Amino acid sequence: MTKDRLLIFIPTYNEHENVEKIYGEIKSLGISADILFIDDNSPDGTGRIIDELAVHDKGVYAIHRPAKLGIGSAHKEGISFAYNNSYKLLLTMDCDFTHKTEYIREFIKFADDYDIVVGSRYMEERSLEDWNLQRRFLTHFGHFLTKFLLCMPYDATGAYRLYRLDRIRPEIFKIIHSSSYSFFFESLYVLFLNGLKIKEIPIMLPRRCYGHSKMKLKDVFTSVFKLWNLCVRSLLYRRSYILKEKTALDMKSMDWDAYWRKASGKKGPYAILARIYRKFIISRAVRHYFKKFFNDETGSIYLHAGCGSGESDSRIGFRDATFIKMDLSLEALELARSMPDHKKVHYVCGDIFNPPFKEGAFKGIWNLGVMEHFREDDIVAILKQSGRVLDNDGRLMLFWPPKYGLSVMVLSSVIFLADKIFGRTLKLYPDECSRFDSREWAGRLFKEARLNIDKAHFNIRDLFTYVVVVGEKGEKTK
């Protein structure tokens, strides 16, 4: 193995009795692996010992954190370190010798065929026989709850695992929010929901050989609460835990002509309701915000970047301004042409990632239901291009579905019920991987594109379906 193959990650807090011993046991295995210790400012000098190991062994890395920041956050930092340094395998384990180093070879053996290998305490009856009654009860109770509430058969509360990082997209770990012990069942559940291949191997856990357990009773209650919360949220918002199959590159290269050709022929209940909603609710909201934020001035030119079928922006009502409707799909543009509109409108086949216009060409740019289909780096690229073709005094207006908008909740419920009751997988719209999260979140993306958010509206005008985000150039030039 070379450096980009295996990293063994061990979080520490008050482990001065153990770190040298566990380091020695790992090295005695004769495997080629680097070791990462993350220490949360242990008062017993654990960090100093790790630094000494790192000085004498270039394959040992030490990260020192200022305080106890949570076992889950330590694991997320260890995972991030492994990705950033191009490791293909990451093995995580505790430092207290409840995780025997002799199993490491067994974990590695299954790495070729599985994405995650989990050490299970429940595959052999004698696995926990050295533990006291209270610890055994809590462990078995936790296992019962994760199986019952999450419908997941694995040992989900243990830290002894192997991740095949070259097969797991790093974005999947951004879905995981817990920084405490609940990280373990939340992370395995998210990996499980995303269809990754999981293998369990039996391990024997002796009682903690050195030191004391750091898990307190309040941690147990907190974990149970978070487990229940995870169960409820995954039932209501299951899609938010699924990493979208389509990446930004897929969305760029998607056959949009085929999509719009198919969309124009849809006649089911959803298609009919969607058209009614766009015509009688969304289009009214669009007209309102146009008058509010854009000006009907002779010579002003406005760009609808990614116009789609154009159902929602017909009859905007500006008499003196000129509109350009742009889309990558010729099929979409044909649909847009069939919509009633004012006279000063032109149709252009163009890409929102590289609009074919000169700098500062438009007094206003807008789109509806576009940004949520792309990941953050591509949203920034789209915003940068919008800023390039936007006049210094112009405005950018985006109708952006929020994470918890009414339509999102309703459609998610319909999709969930169709799956659970009728066994049908509904695909009502293209994947949405970047719904509006917060003004701060969007502000960060705008700032990267050298734009500023001026307004952000979310109200009953469109039945809480879209956040209307209005942006301006961040650095205006004379």
Side-chain angles (χ1 to χ4, degrees):
M1 293 184 185
T2 57
K3 182 189 171 185
D4 68 348
R5 288 295 296 166
L6 174 64
L7 176 70
I8 298 174
F9 163 59
I10 306 173
T12 61
Y13 183 77
N14 286 349
E15 302 282 4
H16 76 280
E17 301 172 76
N18 303 341
V19 287
E20 284 186 288
K21 295 183 179 70
I22 202 163
Y23 165 80
E25 285 197 8
I26 292 172
K27 299 302 287 186
S28 69
L29 294 174
I31 61 174
S32 179
D34 292 340
I35 305 173
L36 168 67
F37 293 99
I38 293 183
D39 185 67
D40 277 359
N41 197 24
S42 299
D44 69 346
T46 300
R48 176 184 53 79
I49 299 171
I50 294 170
D51 285 339
E52 292 174 358
L53 292 174
V55 168
H56 294 96
D57 187 339
K58 298 303 181 184
V60 174
Y61 299 90
I63 294 177
H64 300 277
R65 306 201 302 176
K68 290 188 72 174
L69 303 177
I71 186 67
S73 71
H75 275 256
K76 285 193 281 190
E77 191 163 343
I79 290 167
S80 179
F81 179 94
Y83 276 117
N84 291 339
N85 290 278
S86 303
Y87 289 96
K88 292 184 179 180
L89 295 175
L90 173 66
L91 185 136
T92 64
M93 63 186 301
D94 291 341
C95 196
D96 59 5
F97 290 96
T98 53
H99 295 160
K100 295 181 179 180
T101 57
E102 64 193 60
Y103 292 116
I104 292 177
R105 289 187 182 277
E106 189 73 7
F107 278 94
I108 296 172
K109 185 172 74 175
F110 291 99
D112 286 341
D113 299 319
Y114 295 90
D115 305 315
I116 307 103
V117 184
V118 177
S120 174
R121 297 162 287 182
Y122 308 104
M123 296 179 72
E124 294 187 2
E125 291 184 6
R126 297 174 54 249
S127 178
L128 302 175
E129 66 179 7
D130 288 345
W131 288 31
N132 62 44
L133 185 61
Q134 178 185 352
R135 290 296 305 278
R136 272 187 287 168
F137 170 77
L138 289 175
T139 302
H140 280 284
F141 182 61
H143 184 52
F144 166 77
L145 287 179
T146 55
K147 288 178 65 177
F148 178 74
L149 294 176
L150 303 181
C151 299
M152 183 172 60
Y154 309 107
D155 182 349
T157 57
Y160 208 178
R161 298 177 182 175
L162 180 82
Y163 300 91
R164 183 70 190 252
L165 296 183
D166 60 332
R167 294 181 188 152
I168 305 172
R169 289 166 57 187
E171 298 92 340
I172 204 167
F173 289 100
K174 294 180 181 179
I175 301 174
I176 302 157
H177 301 293
S178 179
S179 61
S180 60
Y181 286 96
S182 52
F183 166 84
F184 299 114
F185 59 74
E186 184 182 2
S187 60
L188 195 64
Y189 185 54
V190 169
L191 294 166
F192 170 68
L193 286 181
N194 280 274
L196 292 161
K197 294 177 66 177
I198 302 173
K199 169 71 176 178
E200 281 191 308
I201 63 171
I203 59 173
M204 300 284 290
L205 258 70
R207 64 185 179 210
R208 184 180 169 95
C209 300
Y210 304 97
H212 304 281
S213 173
K214 302 174 185 69
M215 190 170 191
K216 309 301 182 186
L217 191 59
K218 73 172 184 177
D219 296 320
V220 175
F221 287 115
T222 300
S223 294
V224 171
F225 171 77
K226 290 185 176 180
L227 178 60
W228 173 252
N229 185 56
L230 178 62
C231 172
V232 173
R233 285 185 59 82
S234 66
L235 288 174
L236 296 176
Y237 310 111
R238 190 179 185 87
R239 288 168 65 92
S240 67
Y241 292 97
I242 308 296
L243 196 64
K244 306 306 177 186
E245 293 180 4
K246 290 189 178 295
T247 64
L249 179 62
D250 293 324
M251 295 302 294
K252 288 181 193 175
S253 60
M254 181 173 170
D255 188 348
W256 288 106
D257 279 338
Y259 170 79
W260 284 110
R261 196 178 303 120
K262 183 178 179 181
S264 64
K266 286 185 177 179
K267 297 180 181 179
Y270 171 75
I272 294 171
L273 287 173
R275 290 186 183 114
I276 293 172
Y277 184 76
R278 286 192 289 265
K279 182 175 181 180
F280 294 104
I281 297 177
I282 292 296
S283 62
R284 293 174 184 269
V286 169
R287 289 198 294 271
H288 170 80
Y289 287 111
F290 255 86
K291 292 178 180 178
K292 186 177 180 68
F293 296 114
F294 291 159
N295 297 316
D296 186 9
E297 298 176 353
T298 302
S300 294
I301 306 175
Y302 293 95
L303 172 66
H304 187 176
C307 65
S309 66
E311 287 180 279
S312 301
D313 64 337
S314 61
R315 298 194 182 98
I316 288 175
F318 280 15
R319 293 179 300 173
D320 299 317
T322 299
F323 281 81
I324 292 179
K325 294 189 177 184
M326 182 188 77
D327 202 280
L328 189 63
S329 167
L330 291 173
E331 292 282 342
L333 290 174
E334 285 303 312
L335 289 171
R337 286 178 189 274
S338 67
M339 297 295 156
D341 230 318
H342 60 75
K343 294 180 180 179
K344 295 182 181 181
V345 60
H346 304 277
Y347 300 88
V348 175
C349 185
D351 186 355
I352 56 176
F353 287 93
N354 188 25
F357 307 107
K358 66 180 182 180
E359 293 185 9
F362 299 101
K363 203 68 176 178
I365 301 172
W366 76 284
N367 63 46
L368 186 151
V370 171
M371 311 306 286
E372 69 273 16
H373 298 304
F374 297 93
R375 288 163 55 190
E376 290 185 8
D377 53 343
D378 283 296
I379 291 172
V380 172
I382 294 169
L383 292 175
K384 283 181 178 178
Q385 285 298 313
S386 298
R388 179 182 68 81
V389 298
L390 187 66
D391 182 85
N392 284 326
D393 295 317
R395 280 179 160 174
L396 171 67
M397 184 164 63
L398 307 175
F399 289 77
W400 202 333
K403 277 189 175 181
Y404 304 113
L406 182 62
S407 65
V408 171
M409 292 188 286
V410 170
L411 293 176
S412 296
S413 299
V414 170
I415 292 168
F416 173 77
L417 292 173
D419 178 42
K420 293 300 181 184
I421 298 176
F422 301 105
R424 293 185 57 192
T425 301
L426 294 182
K427 186 72 172 176
L428 300 177
Y429 44 78
D431 290 323
E432 296 180 349
C433 54
S434 297
R435 297 189 186 112
F436 189 91
D437 184 275
S438 65
R439 181 167 178 153
E440 291 72 25
W441 172 79
R444 175 174 58 81
L445 302 181
F446 271 64
K447 186 176 181 180
E448 287 184 46
R450 300 181 70 182
L451 298 170
N452 294 322
I453 292 181
D454 181 39
K455 307 286 184 184
H457 291 269
F458 184 51
N459 56 41
I460 198 171
R461 185 171 295 277
D462 62 358
L463 299 185
F464 295 100
T465 300
Y466 289 95
V467 177
V468 182
V469 184
V470 180
E472 300 175 327
K473 280 198 172 182
E475 296 183 11
K476 298 183 179 180
T477 56
K478 299 280 188 181

